[in-house]
Amino acid sequence: MKKVIATLIAGLFATAAFAQTPAASVPAKAEATHTKAVVKADAKEAHAVVKADAKEAKAVVAAKTDVASAKTEATATKTKAHHAAKKAKAKADAKLASATAEAAPAK
């Protein structure tokens, strides 16, 4: 019976010795953690780049909209000025015609 117990105890110690995690597992775990951190940093960088590109594109669109708005505003101002000048010329022509008509019968 002593031999059986001794064999079982020896078996337990042997099993316990082989059941331990090998020393190579720790560096592999550290490397996996490092790889995960690198991938996370790359994803963060890519996200920041995409966000910056979107912001730049939005600024370009806003600038183009501002330019288009300024062009439209300039066209409207030019049209108003042209119309006002036409009106002023017509008024001046009418005054001249009226003055000429009044001056003609007086002769």
Side-chain angles (χ1 to χ4, degrees):
M1 185 75 170
K2 287 183 181 182
K3 285 185 180 182
V4 173
I5 293 175
T7 307
L8 287 175
I9 291 174
L12 286 174
F13 280 115
T15 307
F18 286 111
Q20 290 181 356
T21 54
S25 173
V26 174
K29 188 174 182 181
E31 187 177 332
T33 303
H34 172 70
T35 304
K36 186 177 179 181
V38 169
V39 168
K40 191 174 183 179
D42 286 343
K44 219 174 200 182
E45 179 189 8
H47 178 69
V49 168
V50 168
K51 197 172 182 179
D53 286 345
K55 190 173 185 179
E56 181 184 0
K58 188 176 180 181
V60 168
V61 168
K64 285 183 180 180
T65 303
D66 288 347
V67 169
S69 175
K71 283 182 181 179
T72 304
E73 202 172 297
T75 302
T77 304
K78 287 178 187 177
T79 303
K80 284 181 182 178
H82 182 68
H83 182 69
K86 251 184 166 180
K87 203 173 186 181
K89 284 180 186 177
K91 195 173 186 179
D93 287 345
K95 273 189 177 181
L96 179 63
S98 172
T100 307
E102 287 178 10
K107 275 190 176 183

Coordinates of all heavy atoms in Angstrom, one line a residue:
M1 N 0.8 -1.2 0.0 CA 0.0 0.0 0.0 C 0.9 1.3 0.0 O 0.5 2.2 -0.6 CB -0.9 -0.1 1.2 CG -1.9 1.0 1.3 SD -3.2 0.6 0.2 CE -4.3 1.8 0.6
K2 N 2.0 1.2 0.7 CA 2.9 2.3 0.7 C 3.4 2.6 -0.7 O 3.6 3.8 -1.0 CB 4.1 2.0 1.7 CG 3.7 2.1 3.1 CD 4.9 1.9 4.0 CE 4.5 1.9 5.4 NZ 5.7 1.8 6.3
K3 N 3.7 1.5 -1.5 CA 4.2 1.8 -2.8 C 3.1 2.4 -3.7 O 3.4 3.3 -4.5 CB 4.6 0.4 -3.5 CG 5.8 -0.2 -2.9 CD 6.2 -1.4 -3.7 CE 7.5 -2.0 -3.2 NZ 7.9 -3.1 -3.9
V4 N 1.9 2.1 -3.5 CA 0.8 2.7 -4.3 C 0.6 4.2 -4.0 O 0.5 5.0 -4.9 CB -0.6 2.0 -4.1 CG1 -1.7 2.7 -4.7 CG2 -0.5 0.5 -4.5
I5 N 0.7 4.5 -2.7 CA 0.6 5.9 -2.3 C 1.8 6.7 -2.7 O 1.7 7.8 -3.2 CB 0.4 6.0 -0.7 CG1 -0.9 5.3 -0.3 CG2 0.5 7.4 -0.3 CD1 -1.1 5.3 1.2
A6 N 3.0 6.1 -2.7 CA 4.2 6.7 -3.1 C 4.1 7.0 -4.6 O 4.5 8.0 -5.1 CB 5.4 5.9 -2.8
T7 N 3.6 6.0 -5.4 CA 3.4 6.2 -6.8 C 2.4 7.3 -7.1 O 2.7 8.1 -8.0 CB 3.0 4.9 -7.5 OG1 3.9 3.8 -7.1 CG2 3.0 5.0 -9.0
L8 N 1.3 7.3 -6.4 CA 0.3 8.4 -6.6 C 0.9 9.7 -6.3 O 0.7 10.7 -7.1 CB -0.9 8.1 -5.8 CG -1.8 7.0 -6.3 CD1 -2.9 6.7 -5.2 CD2 -2.4 7.3 -7.6
I9 N 1.6 9.9 -5.2 CA 2.2 11.2 -4.9 C 3.3 11.6 -5.9 O 3.3 12.7 -6.3 CB 2.8 11.1 -3.5 CG1 1.7 11.0 -2.4 CG2 3.7 12.3 -3.2 CD1 2.2 10.7 -1.0
A10 N 4.1 10.6 -6.4 CA 5.1 10.9 -7.4 C 4.4 11.3 -8.7 O 4.8 12.3 -9.4 CB 6.0 9.7 -7.6
G11 N 3.3 10.7 -9.0 CA 2.5 11.0 -10.2 C 1.9 12.5 -10.1 O 1.9 13.2 -11.1
L12 N 1.5 12.8 -8.9 CA 0.9 14.2 -8.7 C 2.0 15.2 -8.9 O 1.8 16.2 -9.5 CB 0.3 14.3 -7.3 CG -1.0 13.6 -7.1 CD1 -1.5 13.7 -5.6 CD2 -2.1 14.2 -8.0
F13 N 3.2 14.9 -8.3 CA 4.3 15.9 -8.5 C 4.7 16.0 -9.9 O 5.0 17.1 -10.4 CB 5.5 15.5 -7.6 CG 5.3 15.9 -6.1 CD1 5.2 14.9 -5.1 CD2 5.3 17.2 -5.8 CE1 5.0 15.3 -3.8 CE2 5.1 17.6 -4.5 CZ 5.0 16.6 -3.5
A14 N 4.7 14.9 -10.6 CA 5.1 14.9 -12.0 C 4.1 15.7 -12.9 O 4.5 16.5 -13.8 CB 5.3 13.5 -12.5
T15 N 2.8 15.4 -12.6 CA 1.8 16.1 -13.3 C 1.8 17.6 -13.0 O 1.7 18.4 -13.9 CB 0.4 15.5 -12.9 OG1 0.4 14.1 -13.0 CG2 -0.7 16.1 -13.7
A16 N 2.1 17.9 -11.8 CA 2.1 19.4 -11.4 C 3.3 20.0 -12.1 O 3.2 21.2 -12.5 CB 2.2 19.5 -9.9
A17 N 4.4 19.3 -12.2 CA 5.6 19.9 -12.9 C 5.3 20.2 -14.4 O 5.7 21.2 -14.9 CB 6.8 19.0 -12.7
F18 N 4.6 19.3 -15.0 CA 4.3 19.4 -16.5 C 3.1 20.4 -16.7 O 3.0 20.9 -17.8 CB 4.1 18.1 -17.1 CG 5.4 17.3 -17.3 CD1 5.6 16.1 -16.6 CD2 6.3 17.7 -18.2 CE1 6.7 15.4 -16.7 CE2 7.5 17.0 -18.4 CZ 7.7 15.8 -17.6
A19 N 2.3 20.6 -15.7 CA 1.1 21.4 -15.9 C 1.4 22.9 -15.8 O 0.6 23.7 -16.2 CB 0.1 21.1 -14.9
Q20 N 2.6 23.2 -15.4 CA 3.0 24.7 -15.3 C 3.1 25.2 -16.7 O 3.5 24.6 -17.6 CB 4.3 24.8 -14.5 CG 4.2 24.5 -13.0 CD 5.5 24.7 -12.3 OE1 6.5 25.0 -13.0 NE2 5.5 24.5 -11.0
T21 N 2.8 26.5 -16.8 CA 3.0 27.2 -18.1 C 4.4 27.4 -18.4 O 5.2 27.8 -17.5 CB 2.3 28.6 -18.1 OG1 2.8 29.3 -17.0 CG2 0.8 28.5 -18.0
P22 N 4.8 27.2 -19.6 CA 6.3 27.3 -19.9 C 6.7 28.8 -19.9 O 5.9 29.7 -20.0 CB 6.4 26.8 -21.3 CG 5.0 26.8 -21.9 CD 4.1 26.7 -20.7
A23 N 8.0 29.0 -19.7 CA 8.5 30.4 -19.6 C 8.4 31.1 -20.9 O 8.3 32.4 -20.9 CB 10.0 30.3 -19.2
A24 N 8.3 30.5 -22.0 CA 8.1 31.1 -23.3 C 6.8 31.8 -23.4 O 6.6 32.7 -24.3 CB 8.3 30.1 -24.4
S25 N 5.8 31.5 -22.7 CA 4.5 32.0 -22.7 C 4.5 33.5 -22.3 O 3.7 34.3 -22.9 CB 3.5 31.2 -21.9 OG 2.3 31.8 -21.8
V26 N 5.3 33.9 -21.4 CA 5.3 35.3 -20.9 C 5.7 36.2 -22.0 O 5.0 37.2 -22.2 CB 6.1 35.4 -19.6 CG1 6.3 36.8 -19.2 CG2 5.5 34.5 -18.5
P27 N 6.8 36.0 -22.7 CA 7.2 36.9 -23.8 C 6.1 36.9 -24.9 O 5.9 37.9 -25.5 CB 8.5 36.3 -24.3 CG 9.1 35.6 -23.1 CD 7.9 35.1 -22.4
A28 N 5.5 35.8 -25.2 CA 4.5 35.7 -26.2 C 3.3 36.6 -25.8 O 2.7 37.3 -26.6 CB 4.1 34.3 -26.4
K29 N 3.0 36.5 -24.5 CA 1.8 37.3 -24.1 C 2.2 38.8 -24.1 O 1.4 39.6 -24.5 CB 1.5 36.9 -22.6 CG 0.3 37.6 -22.1 CD -0.1 37.0 -20.7 CE -1.4 37.6 -20.2 NZ -1.8 37.2 -18.9
A30 N 3.4 39.2 -23.8 CA 3.9 40.5 -23.9 C 3.9 41.0 -25.3 O 3.5 42.1 -25.6 CB 5.3 40.7 -23.3
E31 N 4.3 40.1 -26.2 CA 4.3 40.5 -27.6 C 2.9 40.7 -28.2 O 2.7 41.6 -28.9 CB 5.1 39.4 -28.4 CG 5.3 39.8 -29.9 CD 6.1 38.7 -30.6 OE1 6.9 38.0 -30.0 OE2 5.8 38.6 -31.9
A32 N 2.0 39.8 -27.7 CA 0.6 40.0 -28.1 C 0.0 41.3 -27.6 O -0.7 42.0 -28.4 CB -0.2 38.8 -27.6
T33 N 0.4 41.7 -26.4 CA -0.1 42.9 -25.9 C 0.5 44.1 -26.6 O -0.2 45.1 -27.0 CB 0.3 43.0 -24.4 OG1 -0.2 41.9 -23.7 CG2 -0.2 44.3 -23.8
H34 N 1.8 44.0 -27.0 CA 2.4 45.0 -27.8 C 1.8 45.2 -29.1 O 1.5 46.3 -29.6 CB 3.9 44.7 -27.9 CG 4.6 45.6 -28.8 ND1 4.9 46.9 -28.6 CD2 5.1 45.4 -30.1 CE1 5.5 47.5 -29.6 NE2 5.7 46.6 -30.5
T35 N 1.5 44.0 -29.8 CA 0.9 44.1 -31.1 C -0.5 44.7 -31.0 O -0.9 45.5 -31.9 CB 0.8 42.6 -31.7 OG1 2.1 42.0 -31.7 CG2 0.2 42.6 -33.1
K36 N -1.2 44.3 -30.0 CA -2.6 44.9 -29.8 C -2.5 46.4 -29.7 O -3.3 47.2 -30.2 CB -3.2 44.3 -28.6 CG -4.7 44.7 -28.4 CD -5.3 43.9 -27.2 CE -6.7 44.3 -27.0 NZ -7.3 43.7 -25.8
A37 N -1.5 46.9 -28.9 CA -1.3 48.3 -28.7 C -0.9 49.0 -30.0 O -1.4 50.1 -30.2 CB -0.3 48.6 -27.6
V38 N -0.1 48.4 -30.8 CA 0.3 49.0 -32.0 C -0.9 49.1 -33.0 O -1.1 50.1 -33.6 CB 1.5 48.2 -32.7 CG1 1.7 48.6 -34.1 CG2 2.7 48.3 -31.8
V39 N -1.7 48.0 -33.1 CA -2.8 48.0 -33.9 C -3.8 49.1 -33.5 O -4.4 49.9 -34.3 CB -3.5 46.6 -33.9 CG1 -4.9 46.7 -34.6 CG2 -2.6 45.6 -34.6
K40 N -4.0 49.3 -32.2 CA -4.9 50.3 -31.6 C -4.4 51.7 -32.0 O -5.2 52.6 -32.4 CB -5.0 50.1 -30.1 CG -6.1 50.9 -29.5 CD -6.3 50.6 -28.0 CE -7.4 51.4 -27.4 NZ -7.6 51.0 -26.0
A41 N -3.1 51.9 -31.9 CA -2.5 53.2 -32.2 C -2.7 53.5 -33.7 O -3.0 54.6 -34.1 CB -1.0 53.2 -31.8
D42 N -2.4 52.5 -34.5 CA -2.6 52.7 -36.0 C -4.1 53.0 -36.3 O -4.3 53.9 -37.2 CB -2.2 51.4 -36.7 CG -0.7 51.2 -36.8 OD1 0.0 52.2 -36.5 OD2 -0.2 50.1 -37.1
A43 N -5.0 52.4 -35.7 CA -6.4 52.6 -35.9 C -6.8 54.0 -35.5 O -7.5 54.8 -36.2 CB -7.3 51.6 -35.2
K44 N -6.2 54.5 -34.3 CA -6.5 55.8 -33.8 C -5.9 56.9 -34.8 O -6.5 57.9 -35.1 CB -5.8 56.0 -32.5 CG -6.6 56.8 -31.5 CD -5.9 56.7 -30.1 CE -6.8 57.1 -29.0 NZ -6.2 57.1 -27.7
E45 N -4.7 56.6 -35.3 CA -4.1 57.5 -36.3 C -4.9 57.6 -37.6 O -5.2 58.7 -38.1 CB -2.7 57.0 -36.6 CG -2.0 57.9 -37.6 CD -0.6 57.4 -38.1 OE1 -0.3 56.2 -37.8 OE2 0.1 58.1 -38.8
A46 N -5.3 56.4 -38.1 CA -6.1 56.4 -39.3 C -7.4 57.2 -39.1 O -7.9 57.9 -40.0 CB -6.4 55.0 -39.7
H47 N -8.0 57.0 -37.9 CA -9.3 57.7 -37.6 C -9.1 59.2 -37.6 O -9.9 60.0 -38.1 CB -9.8 57.3 -36.3 CG -11.1 57.9 -35.8 ND1 -12.3 57.8 -36.5 CD2 -11.3 58.9 -34.9 CE1 -13.2 58.5 -35.9 NE2 -12.6 59.2 -34.9
A48 N -7.9 59.7 -37.0 CA -7.6 61.1 -37.0 C -7.4 61.6 -38.4 O -7.8 62.8 -38.7 CB -6.4 61.3 -36.1
V49 N -6.7 60.9 -39.2 CA -6.4 61.3 -40.6 C -7.7 61.4 -41.3 O -7.9 62.4 -42.0 CB -5.5 60.3 -41.3 CG1 -5.4 60.6 -42.8 CG2 -4.1 60.4 -40.7
V50 N -8.6 60.5 -41.2 CA -9.9 60.5 -41.9 C -10.7 61.7 -41.4 O -11.3 62.5 -42.2 CB -10.7 59.2 -41.7 CG1 -12.1 59.4 -42.2 CG2 -10.0 58.1 -42.5
K51 N -10.7 62.0 -40.1 CA -11.4 63.1 -39.5 C -10.9 64.4 -40.1 O -11.6 65.3 -40.4 CB -11.3 63.0 -38.0 CG -12.3 63.8 -37.3 CD -12.3 63.5 -35.8 CE -13.3 64.3 -35.0 NZ -13.3 64.0 -33.6
A52 N -9.5 64.5 -40.1 CA -8.9 65.8 -40.6 C -9.2 66.0 -42.1 O -9.5 67.1 -42.5 CB -7.4 65.7 -40.4
D53 N -9.2 64.9 -42.9 CA -9.6 65.0 -44.3 C -11.0 65.5 -44.5 O -11.3 66.3 -45.4 CB -9.3 63.7 -45.0 CG -7.9 63.4 -45.3 OD1 -7.0 64.3 -45.1 OD2 -7.5 62.2 -45.5
A54 N -11.9 64.9 -43.7 CA -13.3 65.3 -43.8 C -13.5 66.8 -43.4 O -14.2 67.5 -44.0 CB -14.2 64.4 -42.8
K55 N -12.7 67.2 -42.4 CA -12.8 68.6 -42.0 C -12.3 69.5 -43.1 O -12.9 70.6 -43.3 CB -12.0 68.8 -40.7 CG -12.2 70.1 -40.0 CD -11.4 70.2 -38.7 CE -11.7 71.4 -37.9 NZ -11.1 71.4 -36.6
E56 N -11.2 69.1 -43.7 CA -10.6 69.9 -44.8 C -11.6 70.0 -46.0 O -11.8 71.0 -46.6 CB -9.3 69.3 -45.3 CG -8.7 70.0 -46.4 CD -7.4 69.4 -46.9 OE1 -7.0 68.3 -46.4 OE2 -6.8 69.9 -47.8
A57 N -12.2 68.8 -46.3 CA -13.2 68.8 -47.4 C -14.4 69.7 -47.1 O -14.9 70.4 -48.0 CB -13.7 67.4 -47.7
K58 N -14.8 69.7 -45.8 CA -15.9 70.6 -45.4 C -15.5 72.0 -45.6 O -16.4 72.8 -46.0 CB -16.3 70.2 -44.0 CG -17.5 70.9 -43.5 CD -17.9 70.4 -42.1 CE -19.1 71.1 -41.6 NZ -19.4 70.7 -40.2
A59 N -14.3 72.4 -45.2 CA -13.8 73.7 -45.3 C -13.8 74.2 -46.8 O -14.1 75.3 -47.1 CB -12.5 73.9 -44.7
V60 N -13.3 73.3 -47.7 CA -13.3 73.6 -49.1 C -14.7 73.8 -49.6 O -14.9 74.7 -50.4 CB -12.6 72.4 -49.9 CG1 -12.7 72.5 -51.4 CG2 -11.1 72.4 -49.5
V61 N -15.6 73.0 -49.3 CA -17.0 73.1 -49.7 C -17.6 74.4 -49.2 O -18.2 75.2 -50.0 CB -17.9 71.9 -49.2 CG1 -19.4 72.2 -49.4 CG2 -17.5 70.7 -50.0
A62 N -17.3 74.8 -47.9 CA -17.8 76.0 -47.4 C -17.1 77.2 -48.1 O -17.8 78.2 -48.4 CB -17.4 76.1 -45.9
A63 N -15.9 77.1 -48.5 CA -15.2 78.2 -49.2 C -15.8 78.3 -50.6 O -16.0 79.4 -51.1 CB -13.7 77.9 -49.3
K64 N -16.1 77.2 -51.3 CA -16.7 77.2 -52.6 C -18.1 77.9 -52.5 O -18.5 78.6 -53.4 CB -16.7 75.9 -53.2 CG -15.4 75.4 -53.7 CD -15.5 74.0 -54.4 CE -14.1 73.6 -54.8 NZ -14.2 72.2 -55.5
T65 N -18.8 77.5 -51.5 CA -20.1 78.1 -51.3 C -20.0 79.6 -51.0 O -20.8 80.3 -51.6 CB -20.8 77.4 -50.1 OG1 -20.9 76.0 -50.3 CG2 -22.2 77.9 -49.9
D66 N -19.0 80.0 -50.2 CA -18.9 81.4 -50.0 C -18.5 82.1 -51.3 O -19.0 83.2 -51.6 CB -17.7 81.7 -49.0 CG -18.1 81.3 -47.6 OD1 -19.4 81.1 -47.4 OD2 -17.3 81.2 -46.7
V67 N -17.7 81.5 -52.1 CA -17.3 82.2 -53.4 C -18.5 82.3 -54.3 O -18.8 83.3 -54.9 CB -16.2 81.4 -54.1 CG1 -16.0 81.8 -55.5 CG2 -14.9 81.5 -53.3
A68 N -19.3 81.2 -54.4 CA -20.5 81.2 -55.2 C -21.5 82.2 -54.7 O -22.1 83.0 -55.5 CB -21.2 79.8 -55.2
S69 N -21.6 82.3 -53.4 CA -22.5 83.3 -52.8 C -22.0 84.7 -53.1 O -22.8 85.6 -53.5 CB -22.6 83.1 -51.3 OG -23.3 84.1 -50.7
A70 N -20.7 85.0 -53.1 CA -20.2 86.3 -53.4 C -20.4 86.6 -54.8 O -20.7 87.8 -55.2 CB -18.7 86.3 -53.0
K71 N -20.2 85.6 -55.7 CA -20.5 85.9 -57.1 C -21.9 86.2 -57.4 O -22.2 87.1 -58.2 CB -20.1 84.6 -58.0 CG -18.6 84.5 -58.1 CD -18.3 83.2 -59.0 CE -16.8 83.0 -59.2 NZ -16.5 81.9 -60.0
T72 N -22.8 85.5 -56.8 CA -24.2 85.8 -56.9 C -24.6 87.2 -56.4 O -25.3 87.9 -57.1 CB -25.1 84.7 -56.2 OG1 -24.7 83.4 -56.6 CG2 -26.5 84.9 -56.3
E73 N -24.0 87.5 -55.3 CA -24.2 88.8 -54.7 C -23.7 89.9 -55.6 O -24.3 91.0 -55.8 CB -23.5 88.9 -53.3 CG -24.1 89.9 -52.4 CD -23.5 89.8 -51.0 OE1 -23.7 88.7 -50.4 OE2 -22.8 90.7 -50.6
A74 N -22.5 89.7 -56.2 CA -21.9 90.7 -57.1 C -22.7 90.8 -58.3 O -22.9 92.0 -58.8 CB -20.5 90.2 -57.4
T75 N -23.3 89.8 -58.8 CA -24.1 89.8 -60.0 C -25.4 90.6 -59.7 O -25.8 91.5 -60.5 CB -24.5 88.4 -60.5 OG1 -23.3 87.7 -60.8 CG2 -25.3 88.4 -61.8
A76 N -26.0 90.4 -58.6 CA -27.2 91.1 -58.2 C -26.9 92.6 -58.0 O -27.6 93.5 -58.5 CB -27.7 90.5 -56.9
T77 N -25.7 92.9 -57.4 CA -25.3 94.3 -57.2 C -25.1 95.0 -58.6 O -25.5 96.1 -58.8 CB -24.1 94.4 -56.4 OG1 -24.3 93.7 -55.1 CG2 -23.7 95.8 -56.1
K78 N -24.4 94.3 -59.5 CA -24.2 94.8 -60.8 C -25.5 95.1 -61.6 O -25.7 96.1 -62.2 CB -23.3 93.9 -61.6 CG -21.9 93.9 -61.2 CD -21.1 92.9 -62.1 CE -19.7 92.7 -61.6 NZ -19.0 91.7 -62.3
T79 N -26.4 94.1 -61.4 CA -27.7 94.3 -62.1 C -28.5 95.5 -61.5 O -29.1 96.3 -62.3 CB -28.6 93.0 -61.9 OG1 -27.8 91.9 -62.4 CG2 -29.9 93.1 -62.6
K80 N -28.5 95.6 -60.2 CA -29.1 96.8 -59.6 C -28.5 98.1 -60.0 O -29.2 99.1 -60.4 CB -29.0 96.7 -58.1 CG -30.0 95.7 -57.5 CD -29.9 95.7 -55.9 CE -30.8 94.7 -55.3 NZ -30.6 94.6 -53.8
A81 N -27.1 98.1 -60.1 CA -26.4 99.3 -60.5 C -26.8 99.7 -62.0 O -27.0 100.8 -62.3 CB -24.9 99.1 -60.3
H82 N -26.8 98.6 -62.8 CA -27.1 98.8 -64.2 C -28.5 99.4 -64.4 O -28.8 100.3 -65.2 CB -26.9 97.5 -65.0 CG -27.2 97.6 -66.4 ND1 -26.4 98.3 -67.3 CD2 -28.2 97.1 -67.2 CE1 -26.8 98.2 -68.5 NE2 -27.9 97.5 -68.5
H83 N -29.5 98.8 -63.6 CA -30.8 99.2 -63.7 C -31.0 100.7 -63.2 O -31.7 101.5 -63.8 CB -31.7 98.3 -62.8 CG -33.2 98.6 -62.8 ND1 -34.0 98.5 -63.9 CD2 -34.0 99.1 -61.9 CE1 -35.2 98.9 -63.7 NE2 -35.2 99.3 -62.4
A84 N -30.3 101.0 -62.1 CA -30.3 102.4 -61.5 C -29.7 103.4 -62.5 O -30.3 104.5 -62.7 CB -29.6 102.4 -60.2
A85 N -28.7 103.0 -63.2 CA -28.0 103.9 -64.2 C -29.0 104.1 -65.4 O -29.1 105.2 -65.9 CB -26.7 103.3 -64.7
K86 N -29.6 103.0 -65.8 CA -30.6 103.1 -66.9 C -31.7 104.1 -66.5 O -32.1 105.0 -67.3 CB -31.2 101.8 -67.2 CG -30.8 101.2 -68.5 CD -31.5 99.9 -68.7 CE -31.4 99.4 -70.1 NZ -32.1 98.1 -70.3
K87 N -32.2 103.9 -65.3 CA -33.3 104.7 -64.8 C -32.9 106.2 -64.7 O -33.6 107.1 -65.1 CB -33.7 104.2 -63.4 CG -35.1 104.6 -63.0 CD -35.4 103.9 -61.6 CE -36.9 104.1 -61.3 NZ -37.2 103.5 -60.0
A88 N -31.6 106.4 -64.2 CA -31.1 107.8 -64.1 C -31.0 108.4 -65.5 O -31.3 109.6 -65.7 CB -29.8 107.8 -63.3
K89 N -30.5 107.7 -66.4 CA -30.3 108.2 -67.8 C -31.7 108.5 -68.4 O -31.8 109.6 -69.1 CB -29.6 107.1 -68.7 CG -28.1 107.0 -68.4 CD -27.5 106.0 -69.4 CE -26.0 105.7 -69.1 NZ -25.5 104.7 -69.9
A90 N -32.6 107.6 -68.2 CA -34.0 107.9 -68.7 C -34.6 109.1 -68.1 O -35.2 110.0 -68.8 CB -34.9 106.7 -68.4
K91 N -34.4 109.3 -66.8 CA -34.9 110.5 -66.1 C -34.2 111.8 -66.6 O -34.8 112.8 -66.8 CB -34.6 110.4 -64.6 CG -35.4 111.3 -63.7 CD -35.2 111.0 -62.2 CE -36.0 111.8 -61.4 NZ -35.9 111.5 -59.9
A92 N -32.9 111.7 -66.8 CA -32.1 112.8 -67.4 C -32.6 113.1 -68.8 O -32.7 114.3 -69.1 CB -30.6 112.5 -67.3
D93 N -32.8 112.1 -69.6 CA -33.3 112.3 -70.9 C -34.7 113.0 -70.9 O -35.0 113.9 -71.7 CB -33.4 111.0 -71.7 CG -32.0 110.5 -72.1 OD1 -31.0 111.3 -72.0 OD2 -31.9 109.3 -72.5
A94 N -35.5 112.5 -70.0 CA -36.9 113.1 -69.8 C -36.8 114.5 -69.4 O -37.5 115.4 -69.9 CB -37.7 112.3 -68.8
K95 N -35.9 114.9 -68.5 CA -35.7 116.3 -68.1 C -35.2 117.1 -69.2 O -35.7 118.3 -69.4 CB -34.8 116.4 -66.9 CG -35.4 116.2 -65.5 CD -34.3 116.5 -64.4 CE -35.0 116.4 -63.1 NZ -34.0 116.7 -62.0
L96 N -34.3 116.6 -70.0 CA -33.7 117.3 -71.1 C -34.8 117.6 -72.1 O -35.0 118.7 -72.7 CB -32.6 116.6 -71.7 CG -31.9 117.2 -73.0 CD1 -31.3 118.6 -72.6 CD2 -30.9 116.3 -73.6
A97 N -35.6 116.6 -72.4 CA -36.7 116.7 -73.4 C -37.8 117.7 -72.9 O -38.3 118.5 -73.7 CB -37.4 115.3 -73.6
S98 N -38.1 117.7 -71.6 CA -39.0 118.6 -71.0 C -38.5 120.0 -71.1 O -39.2 120.9 -71.4 CB -39.3 118.2 -69.6 OG -40.1 119.1 -68.9
A99 N -37.2 120.2 -70.7 CA -36.6 121.5 -70.8 C -36.5 122.0 -72.2 O -36.8 123.2 -72.5 CB -35.2 121.5 -70.2
T100 N -36.2 121.1 -73.1 CA -36.2 121.5 -74.5 C -37.6 121.9 -75.1 O -37.7 122.9 -75.8 CB -35.6 120.4 -75.4 OG1 -34.4 120.0 -74.8 CG2 -35.3 120.8 -76.8
A101 N -38.6 121.1 -74.6 CA -39.9 121.4 -75.0 C -40.4 122.8 -74.5 O -41.1 123.5 -75.2 CB -40.9 120.3 -74.6
E102 N -40.1 123.1 -73.3 CA -40.5 124.3 -72.7 C -39.7 125.5 -73.3 O -40.3 126.6 -73.5 CB -40.2 124.3 -71.2 CG -41.2 123.5 -70.4 CD -40.8 123.5 -68.9 OE1 -40.0 124.3 -68.5 OE2 -41.4 122.7 -68.2
A103 N -38.5 125.3 -73.6 CA -37.7 126.4 -74.2 C -38.1 126.6 -75.7 O -38.0 127.8 -76.1 CB -36.2 126.0 -74.1
A104 N -38.5 125.6 -76.4 CA -38.9 125.8 -77.8 C -40.0 126.7 -78.0 O -40.0 127.6 -78.9 CB -39.1 124.5 -78.4
P105 N -41.2 126.7 -77.3 CA -42.3 127.6 -77.6 C -41.9 129.0 -77.2 O -42.5 129.9 -77.6 CB -43.4 127.0 -76.7 CG -43.0 125.7 -76.3 CD -41.6 125.6 -76.4
A106 N -41.0 129.2 -76.3 CA -40.7 130.5 -75.8 C -40.0 131.3 -76.9 O -40.0 132.5 -76.9 CB -39.8 130.5 -74.6
K107 N -39.5 130.8 -77.9 CA -38.8 131.5 -79.0 C -39.7 132.2 -79.8 O -40.6 132.4 -80.3 CB -38.0 130.5 -79.8 CG -36.6 130.2 -79.2 CD -35.8 129.5 -80.2 CE -34.4 129.2 -79.8 NZ -33.6 128.6 -80.7

